[in-house]
Amino acid sequence: MLTENSSAKVSDRLDELSELKELAHQGPDPKATERQHAKGKLTARERIELLLDKGSFSEIEALRRHRASGFGLEAKRPYTDGVITGWGTVEGRTVFVYAHDFRIFGGALGEAHAQKIHKIMDMALAAGAPLVSLNDGAGARIQEGVSALAGYGGIFQRNTRASGVIPQISVMLGPCAGGAAYSPALTDFVFMVRETSQMFITGPDVVQAVTGEEITQNGLGGADVHAGVSGVSHFVYDDEETCLAEVRYLLSLLPSNNRELPPTLHSGDPADRGGDALLDLVPADGNRSYDIRAVIEELVDDGESMEVHATWAPNLVCALARLDGHVVGIVANQPAAMAGVLDIKASEKGARFVQFCDSFNIPLITLVDVPGFLPGVDQEHDGIIRRGAKLLYAYCNATVPRISVVLRKAYGGAYIVMDSRSIGADIALAWPTNEIAVMGAEGAANVVFRREIAAAEDPEAMRRQKIDEYKTELVHPYYAAERGLVDDVIDPRDTRSVLCRAVSMLSAKDADLPRRKHGNPPQ
């Protein structure tokens, strides 16, 4: 350790400084690194190196140590206190990061540990740059008691303050239990790695003690559970290297803060590229299924998109992509899953995504092919009214450029909710295969003409006649256009070029909401 010595040379002090920093980098126990690797996990510093541009990381408070006592803590005061904090760049743009070091106290959070995180979060907000947390910690440090819990409170408060101001990304690379799980839940996106990362409020042992249910950690809160069942995780990957590479890609699509536009990157894919394939991808028959992802691939630059919540609520697809170099958010009904119907999960998924895009100046493209809201006792009892209204609220509240395209059917309230002209879409388009109506012709005829059908000598023939009559009068492709509810009916092959021109035209859109503290969205 460095001692007071007036005769010490600067070079001596530099040597000691170098030794201290090397100790902070290596950690107190060389075998801890081996144990981390044996679990198939990288160390905190290895993860930071993969996340950030090479040689760009600037660490702060590497020599920080806790001041707690009791339970043997006074004899264990490792440098960094189990969390590495600092900033660097991703593709040349500043990004702040903190990474739990599982080798030290299992990455558990104590008072000094929390203060380091508070500081880097404050710095990220002040600098207007994204914050990425690399989570691999065992929760609150039990030996420090309530001080550790208060540390989490400070993190939650800062997560909330930064929400909608800077992008916040949580990367789960190990266990995350108890109150520690709430910070990732407050951030914009959660990444997880299969087998090595878990999230839960109460672990398997507690669950078994209270409910008698036996379950593994991965079965309770593993990556695939949260990606496909709970919806907590937005992205899931097989290994840390791929996961961190995808975090870099996501950051390349996002602005640094809510005062900037997303970065533009022209790939050379012509804006006026034709889409002949679209004629075959989408069947004219509204009852036939197809994969909306293939349509999105045909429309966006180089066919590249980043789907959010790919395995949760698959009946609605949400993705980030580029059109003529401009980042856009795409919300699309998925006929290949539950016929593209809107239900509780899809509504909540779409609402969250729309709100994120609106927060960070990302234009919204909505591709509509929806038969309605999912009927059912469970849906009604579980609150489809208030929870479905979340998507409606999110769209109505959004001030970014909004463009909707009705590909085929758009029935009832679901048509309105999917960013129709009536709730504020800037540009409303439709393909000539569109059917915009209160309900399908078959159902409408049964309701509107039920007496005539019942009284007819041949009820089935009368029903077919009334179906054709309803289609001719109210469901033809140009009915909405004639009333100004659709700006244009377009050739499907021109969809990409029309969208590119519309996004460019709306890039300078300026819209304000009424002055208020905040809205009160449906919960």
Side-chain angles (χ1 to χ4, degrees):
M1 287 297 294
L2 188 64
T3 58
E4 291 294 332
N5 186 345
S6 59
S7 65
K9 296 178 181 179
V10 173
S11 59
D12 294 335
R13 293 181 181 273
L14 291 178
D15 288 341
E16 289 198 89
L17 174 61
S18 178
E19 291 176 8
L20 291 177
K21 289 201 171 182
E22 181 63 22
L23 181 59
H25 277 235
Q26 295 300 324
D29 181 7
K31 293 184 178 179
T33 299
E34 297 176 9
R35 290 193 293 269
Q36 186 81 344
H37 288 162
K39 297 176 183 176
K41 296 164 65 177
L42 301 175
T43 66
R45 294 187 185 277
E46 289 169 341
R47 291 162 175 166
I48 291 173
E49 288 176 3
L50 287 174
L51 173 67
L52 301 177
D53 296 338
K54 186 176 181 180
S56 70
F57 182 55
S58 296
E59 186 174 357
I60 62 170
E61 296 198 359
L63 302 181
R64 185 72 180 265
R65 299 196 294 176
H66 73 76
R67 296 178 291 181
S69 61
F71 305 101
L73 283 178
E74 61 274 7
K76 298 178 181 178
R77 301 181 63 230
Y79 293 109
T80 74
D81 201 47
V83 64
I84 300 167
T85 58
W87 73 90
T89 59
V90 172
E91 297 187 4
R93 300 164 63 221
T94 299
V95 173
F96 288 80
V97 61
Y98 68 85
H100 300 296
D101 191 341
F102 196 82
R103 302 173 305 165
I104 298 175
F105 297 127
L109 181 139
E111 184 178 21
H113 183 121
Q115 288 173 351
K116 288 182 65 174
I117 295 176
H118 296 169
K119 183 172 183 176
I120 207 67
M121 295 178 79
D122 290 340
M123 291 176 68
L125 189 58
L131 175 70
V132 179
S133 63
L134 306 179
N135 298 272
D136 187 5
R141 196 174 299 169
I142 298 172
Q143 301 94 319
E144 295 194 33
V146 71
S147 296
L149 295 178
Y152 274 124
I155 293 173
F156 302 158
Q157 183 188 46
R158 287 167 173 81
N159 284 138
T160 304
R161 189 187 308 159
S163 181
V165 181
I166 57 172
Q168 300 180 84
I169 299 172
S170 297
V171 188
M172 315 311 297
L173 301 167
C176 183
Y182 283 117
S183 177
L186 291 169
T187 60
D188 298 305
F189 296 106
V190 175
F191 287 71
M192 295 187 75
V193 176
R194 291 186 176 92
E195 301 304 324
T196 59
S197 59
Q198 302 90 27
M199 297 174 67
F200 34 70
I201 299 301
T202 54
D205 292 342
V206 176
V207 169
Q208 183 176 3
V210 174
T211 69
E213 299 170 290
E214 293 186 22
I215 193 166
T216 64
Q217 285 195 347
N218 281 323
L220 181 63
D224 287 317
V225 168
H226 284 311
V229 180
S230 72
V232 171
S233 176
H234 301 80
F235 306 98
V236 59
Y237 301 98
D238 290 329
D239 57 79
E240 294 189 21
E241 292 83 357
T242 303
C243 180
L244 292 169
E246 291 300 300
V247 174
R248 285 178 59 89
Y249 179 56
L250 175 60
L251 286 166
S252 75
L253 295 169
L254 306 180
S256 292
N257 56 65
N258 64 343
R259 301 183 301 277
E260 297 181 3
L261 295 175
T264 300
L265 180 63
H266 293 283
S267 67
D269 192 353
D272 59 355
R273 169 172 55 81
D276 291 346
L278 293 171
L279 299 180
D280 297 321
L281 288 174
V282 181
D285 182 356
N287 293 320
R288 289 182 58 192
S289 177
Y290 65 93
D291 191 344
I292 194 65
R293 294 185 183 94
V295 175
I296 294 171
E297 183 178 346
E298 184 67 24
L299 295 177
V300 302
D301 291 358
D302 297 323
E304 293 183 357
S305 64
M306 188 172 193
E307 187 174 353
V308 179
H309 276 316
T311 57
W312 185 64
N315 41 318
L316 190 75
V317 171
C318 298
L320 292 167
R322 282 190 167 91
L323 279 172
D324 196 22
H326 299 283
V327 177
V328 295
I330 299 173
V331 180
N333 304 112
Q334 173 57 295
M338 299 170 60
V341 69
L342 285 179
D343 63 352
I344 286 172
K345 290 182 179 180
S347 298
E348 292 185 333
K349 170 180 173 177
R352 174 76 169 176
F353 184 73
V354 168
Q355 287 170 175
F356 174 80
C357 291
D358 187 50
S359 294
F360 291 104
N361 309 310
I362 299 173
L364 287 162
I365 308 294
T366 304
L367 304 179
V368 186
D369 191 349
V370 60
F373 279 94
L374 179 65
V377 174
D378 288 345
Q379 288 287 303
E380 295 293 346
H381 288 185
D382 288 341
I384 185 63
I385 295 173
R386 62 179 174 82
R387 295 166 75 178
K390 292 181 181 182
L391 181 57
L392 176 61
Y393 186 98
Y395 268 125
C396 290
N397 204 47
T399 60
V400 293
R402 292 157 50 190
I403 305 162
S404 66
V405 185
V406 178
L407 308 185
R408 295 194 308 185
K409 55 190 176 295
Y411 295 152
Y415 154 67
I416 300 172
V417 169
M418 289 296 293
D419 205 19
S420 63
R421 163 52 65 82
S422 60
I423 65 169
D426 297 293
I427 300 291
L429 305 168
W431 285 5
T433 46
N434 82 82
E435 294 182 2
I436 303 174
V438 175
M439 62 177 67
E442 291 80 2
N446 289 336
V447 173
V448 176
F449 305 111
R450 61 182 183 277
R451 292 180 180 174
E452 292 94 325
I453 293 172
E457 291 184 6
D458 186 344
E460 183 57 28
M462 177 62 72
R463 192 177 74 86
R464 289 195 299 271
Q465 176 186 331
K466 293 302 182 181
I467 289 173
D468 291 339
E469 182 180 329
Y470 187 83
K471 285 183 176 180
T472 301
E473 293 294 324
L474 295 176
V475 191
H476 65 78
Y478 308 104
Y479 184 85
E482 290 171 359
R483 285 152 182 80
L485 297 175
V486 167
D487 294 302
D488 196 10
V489 179
I490 63 173
D491 185 330
R493 295 170 294 185
D494 297 333
T495 305
R496 171 176 163 83
S497 61
V498 172
L499 289 176
C500 288
R501 290 197 300 270
V503 169
S504 177
M505 179 274 294
L506 290 166
S507 61
K509 177 184 175 182
D510 184 16
D512 291 319
L513 294 171
R515 184 176 179 181
R516 58 185 175 183
K517 188 173 182 180
H518 56 73
N520 186 26
Q523 296 299 321

